[in-house]
Amino acid sequence: MTTKTVGEALVEGLKARGVTCVFGIPGVHTVELYRGLAASGIRHVTPRHEQGAGFMADGYARASGQPGVAFVITGPGLTNTLTPIAQARADSVPMLVVSGVNSSATLGRGYGHLHELPDQHALAKTVALASEHVARPDQLEAALDRAFAPFAAGRPGPTHIQIPLDVAGTPSQDGTPAPAPTRRPFDSAQITEAASRLSKASKVVILAGGGAKGAGTDLQALAEQLDAPVVQTVNARGLMHGHPLTVPASPSLQSVRSLIEDADCVLALGTELGPTDYDMYATGSMAAMAGLIRVDICSKQLARHRTALAIRARAADAAAELFAALPATPKQSRGAERAEQARTAAFEEIGPDYRQQVEALNAMRAVVPNALMVGDSTQPIYAGNLYYDHDRPGGWFNAATGYGALGYGIPAAIGAAIADPSVQVICITGDGGAQFTLPEVMAAVDEQLPITFVIWNNRGYGEIATSMEAVDVPVVGCDPTPPDFAAAAHSFGIPYTRAPMEPQTVAAALLECAARGTPSILEIDIAGPVPGQE
């Protein structure tokens, strides 16, 4: 009988916890982690950089609702993944990064071994929710339990496990499992009190964040019963698409702030009330929220803002319980009229340039319905984050809020396509952001994924240049020369299309690309063709 190693036991432990895909780049420090992978049935996707592995795991988690998993090497593999870990933490994305680490006897000694860090474990702990060090074979099972615990109870986010070189290949040993996480039941008395406050209010507004993505029909039923407009942050877009009560616009816009401030009771469901959603213009303040009732899974989040009532619970659970506790007769408070006024004013407020880009997004949504739109920090994403109503819950996400990592779009779109191969994935990135992670397109080619990579080419960091000009700073460093994306597509062996920035033309080109069902590049030419590339 062959004894399995710690590395093989790790793979078995991942599979037992429902993991079906791992994003990773093997190296000499992770060879033992790969020993059991081929026979496990777990799919392995190879990115071109560890940052890509982390962003792929992030996109996979957002699209599937299951934790994304990345395998990376000791030292540079982990440091390359720290940016995706930070993005996942900012957006409460369940992600596990498994890394090697140097042999136990060398840790912290500064001998100069390959991939050595002063304290890799401590470094990971500064960014991840938890970092587990497996010092002995019998510690693996409990480390896996603790790493997966935040995915089952509490606010999710990224975790990390590191296994020393001298431990990964040794025989595994049974250990003591960590206690199973328990979901804290919410206080029914608080639900009763919240329902009473909401019933007495004459103008309720609901704020829905990323934590409300799973609320679905319960959120809609609650909003209809309260006749309350529902303002959605970026990560909540797609909830209540096209509904008369929906306000798919940023709460940073003055028109939306006015709607919130006019309410006599605000119900915040699964939103951290963070400044990149609520104060993106850095005014130093957010909209005043009268009678704030806040529902969040995280007690630390609940303590960060003054509330009239704080309820620790999943947004979906609380929405259902609140609806059940309300009087049977729906409110009549001109909710649809208030929502329409906010939508109209918000669309006007974003200005003509952003309105044109939102119209392009609307046209794209119309020709490829129910797609996953995965974005980077680029102008149409900024426009959509301010005002855009997607047609699929969880189908609009990007890295332009929260941590704000550039280069996210391409690999995250790949992870999303792996998670749900039945849907079209549209990646929207700028020419600047695309150059951060352009080689990852080859992973989409390897996996033959139905992704259209839409590259918004304004030949530089247009948004940053505008910001510098606005405060009379000379524009420096905002004009990196983009590659010839047609030639890049040819080198990748995938179709390429160029279209001018006109909404219906963009939509028609996207439909042509999406119909192929393979990776393709669609370049949106903002400034006209480059001489010699017409």
mmCIF file of all heavy atoms in Angstrom, residues 14 56 79 133 160 205 218 225 263 326 353 355 406 413 420 519 521:
data_model
loop_
_atom_site.group_PDB
_atom_site.id
_atom_site.type_symbol
_atom_site.label_atom_id
_atom_site.label_comp_id
_atom_site.label_asym_id
_atom_site.label_seq_id
_atom_site.Cartn_x
_atom_site.Cartn_y
_atom_site.Cartn_z
ATOM 1 N N LEU A 14 -8.736 19.363 -1.221
ATOM 2 C CA LEU A 14 -9.392 20.371 -2.056
ATOM 3 C C LEU A 14 -10.586 19.765 -2.787
ATOM 4 O O LEU A 14 -11.677 20.353 -2.826
ATOM 5 C CB LEU A 14 -8.399 20.956 -3.057
ATOM 6 C CG LEU A 14 -7.251 21.792 -2.487
ATOM 7 C CD1 LEU A 14 -6.292 22.202 -3.589
ATOM 8 C CD2 LEU A 14 -7.781 23.032 -1.768
ATOM 9 N N MET A 56 -7.606 35.197 -12.269
ATOM 10 C CA MET A 56 -8.474 34.136 -12.806
ATOM 11 C C MET A 56 -9.282 33.488 -11.688
ATOM 12 O O MET A 56 -10.473 33.224 -11.837
ATOM 13 C CB MET A 56 -7.638 33.088 -13.538
ATOM 14 C CG MET A 56 -7.088 33.534 -14.873
ATOM 15 S SD MET A 56 -6.088 32.231 -15.650
ATOM 16 C CE MET A 56 -5.281 33.182 -16.968
ATOM 17 N N THR A 79 4.409 36.819 -4.015
ATOM 18 C CA THR A 79 4.372 38.282 -4.105
ATOM 19 C C THR A 79 3.658 38.731 -5.374
ATOM 20 O O THR A 79 2.975 39.753 -5.373
ATOM 21 C CB THR A 79 5.785 38.884 -4.043
ATOM 22 O OG1 THR A 79 6.615 38.292 -5.049
ATOM 23 C CG2 THR A 79 6.411 38.650 -2.674
ATOM 24 N N HIS A 133 0.238 28.123 7.990
ATOM 25 C CA HIS A 133 1.539 27.502 7.778
ATOM 26 C C HIS A 133 1.467 26.054 8.242
ATOM 27 O O HIS A 133 1.190 25.774 9.418
ATOM 28 C CB HIS A 133 2.626 28.251 8.553
ATOM 29 C CG HIS A 133 3.983 27.632 8.441
ATOM 30 N ND1 HIS A 133 4.779 27.791 7.325
ATOM 31 C CD2 HIS A 133 4.691 26.842 9.309
ATOM 32 C CE1 HIS A 133 5.923 27.126 7.506
ATOM 33 N NE2 HIS A 133 5.888 26.539 8.699
ATOM 34 N N HIS A 160 -4.865 31.901 2.527
ATOM 35 C CA HIS A 160 -3.579 31.407 2.011
ATOM 36 C C HIS A 160 -3.112 30.227 2.855
ATOM 37 O O HIS A 160 -3.300 30.207 4.079
ATOM 38 C CB HIS A 160 -2.549 32.546 2.069
ATOM 39 C CG HIS A 160 -1.130 32.098 1.860
ATOM 40 N ND1 HIS A 160 -0.163 32.154 2.861
ATOM 41 C CD2 HIS A 160 -0.508 31.580 0.774
ATOM 42 C CE1 HIS A 160 0.989 31.714 2.380
ATOM 43 N NE2 HIS A 160 0.812 31.357 1.128
ATOM 44 N N VAL A 205 -35.649 54.026 1.170
ATOM 45 C CA VAL A 205 -34.709 53.740 0.079
ATOM 46 C C VAL A 205 -33.864 52.547 0.504
ATOM 47 O O VAL A 205 -33.402 52.480 1.646
ATOM 48 C CB VAL A 205 -33.806 54.947 -0.239
ATOM 49 C CG1 VAL A 205 -32.637 54.534 -1.138
ATOM 50 C CG2 VAL A 205 -34.603 56.044 -0.931
ATOM 51 N N ASP A 218 -36.243 37.779 -3.386
ATOM 52 C CA ASP A 218 -36.576 38.282 -2.049
ATOM 53 C C ASP A 218 -36.363 39.790 -1.963
ATOM 54 O O ASP A 218 -37.166 40.509 -1.361
ATOM 55 C CB ASP A 218 -35.730 37.580 -0.984
ATOM 56 C CG ASP A 218 -36.094 36.113 -0.825
ATOM 57 O OD1 ASP A 218 -37.293 35.796 -0.902
ATOM 58 O OD2 ASP A 218 -35.187 35.287 -0.629
ATOM 59 N N GLN A 225 -42.967 45.637 -1.682
ATOM 60 C CA GLN A 225 -43.813 45.774 -0.496
ATOM 61 C C GLN A 225 -43.615 47.133 0.169
ATOM 62 O O GLN A 225 -44.576 47.740 0.688
ATOM 63 C CB GLN A 225 -43.502 44.649 0.493
ATOM 64 C CG GLN A 225 -44.549 44.436 1.566
ATOM 65 C CD GLN A 225 -45.845 43.841 1.013
ATOM 66 O OE1 GLN A 225 -45.901 43.437 -0.148
ATOM 67 N NE2 GLN A 225 -46.881 43.802 1.839
ATOM 68 N N ALA A 263 -34.922 60.277 1.875
ATOM 69 C CA ALA A 263 -35.591 59.162 2.543
ATOM 70 C C ALA A 263 -35.682 59.412 4.045
ATOM 71 O O ALA A 263 -34.818 60.072 4.627
ATOM 72 C CB ALA A 263 -34.834 57.869 2.285
ATOM 73 N N LEU A 326 -43.409 42.139 7.349
ATOM 74 C CA LEU A 326 -44.096 43.387 7.010
ATOM 75 C C LEU A 326 -45.604 43.177 6.924
ATOM 76 O O LEU A 326 -46.081 42.058 6.684
ATOM 77 C CB LEU A 326 -43.582 43.918 5.668
ATOM 78 C CG LEU A 326 -42.157 44.478 5.649
ATOM 79 C CD1 LEU A 326 -41.735 44.772 4.216
ATOM 80 C CD2 LEU A 326 -42.049 45.734 6.514
ATOM 81 N N ASP A 353 -20.086 62.491 -22.767
ATOM 82 C CA ASP A 353 -19.116 61.452 -23.132
ATOM 83 C C ASP A 353 -19.471 60.111 -22.476
ATOM 84 O O ASP A 353 -19.475 59.066 -23.133
ATOM 85 C CB ASP A 353 -17.705 61.869 -22.734
ATOM 86 C CG ASP A 353 -17.175 63.011 -23.585
ATOM 87 O OD1 ASP A 353 -17.734 63.257 -24.674
ATOM 88 O OD2 ASP A 353 -16.206 63.669 -23.157
ATOM 89 N N ARG A 355 -22.390 59.316 -21.263
ATOM 90 C CA ARG A 355 -23.690 58.844 -21.770
ATOM 91 C C ARG A 355 -23.515 58.046 -23.056
ATOM 92 O O ARG A 355 -24.161 57.004 -23.254
ATOM 93 C CB ARG A 355 -24.639 60.027 -22.002
ATOM 94 C CG ARG A 355 -25.219 60.607 -20.722
ATOM 95 C CD ARG A 355 -26.450 61.437 -21.003
ATOM 96 N NE ARG A 355 -26.176 62.625 -21.783
ATOM 97 C CZ ARG A 355 -25.833 63.807 -21.271
ATOM 98 N NH1 ARG A 355 -25.717 63.950 -19.958
ATOM 99 N NH2 ARG A 355 -25.623 64.851 -22.054
ATOM 100 N N LEU A 406 -5.222 47.533 -11.789
ATOM 101 C CA LEU A 406 -5.227 47.557 -13.252
ATOM 102 C C LEU A 406 -4.677 46.228 -13.765
ATOM 103 O O LEU A 406 -3.825 45.607 -13.150
ATOM 104 C CB LEU A 406 -4.375 48.719 -13.747
ATOM 105 C CG LEU A 406 -4.576 49.187 -15.197
ATOM 106 C CD1 LEU A 406 -6.023 49.595 -15.449
ATOM 107 C CD2 LEU A 406 -3.644 50.352 -15.510
ATOM 108 N N ALA A 413 -11.780 37.610 -16.707
ATOM 109 C CA ALA A 413 -12.736 37.123 -17.705
ATOM 110 C C ALA A 413 -12.480 35.654 -18.025
ATOM 111 O O ALA A 413 -13.421 34.878 -18.236
ATOM 112 C CB ALA A 413 -12.636 37.970 -18.975
ATOM 113 N N ASP A 420 -18.321 29.281 -15.924
ATOM 114 C CA ASP A 420 -19.631 29.111 -16.553
ATOM 115 C C ASP A 420 -19.464 29.102 -18.073
ATOM 116 O O ASP A 420 -19.656 30.117 -18.744
ATOM 117 C CB ASP A 420 -20.584 30.227 -16.129
ATOM 118 C CG ASP A 420 -22.027 29.929 -16.520
ATOM 119 O OD1 ASP A 420 -22.250 28.992 -17.312
ATOM 120 O OD2 ASP A 420 -22.934 30.635 -16.041
ATOM 121 N N PRO A 519 -12.205 32.630 -28.564
ATOM 122 C CA PRO A 519 -11.587 33.896 -28.175
ATOM 123 C C PRO A 519 -11.403 34.809 -29.387
ATOM 124 O O PRO A 519 -11.066 34.346 -30.493
ATOM 125 C CB PRO A 519 -10.228 33.477 -27.607
ATOM 126 C CG PRO A 519 -10.333 32.020 -27.320
ATOM 127 C CD PRO A 519 -11.314 31.483 -28.305
ATOM 128 N N ILE A 521 -10.521 39.308 -30.419
ATOM 129 C CA ILE A 521 -10.240 40.668 -29.983
ATOM 130 C C ILE A 521 -11.057 41.632 -30.814
ATOM 131 O O ILE A 521 -11.054 41.568 -32.050
ATOM 132 C CB ILE A 521 -8.743 41.000 -30.090
ATOM 133 C CG1 ILE A 521 -7.944 40.257 -29.002
ATOM 134 C CG2 ILE A 521 -8.489 42.501 -29.976
ATOM 135 C CD1 ILE A 521 -6.438 40.481 -29.060
#
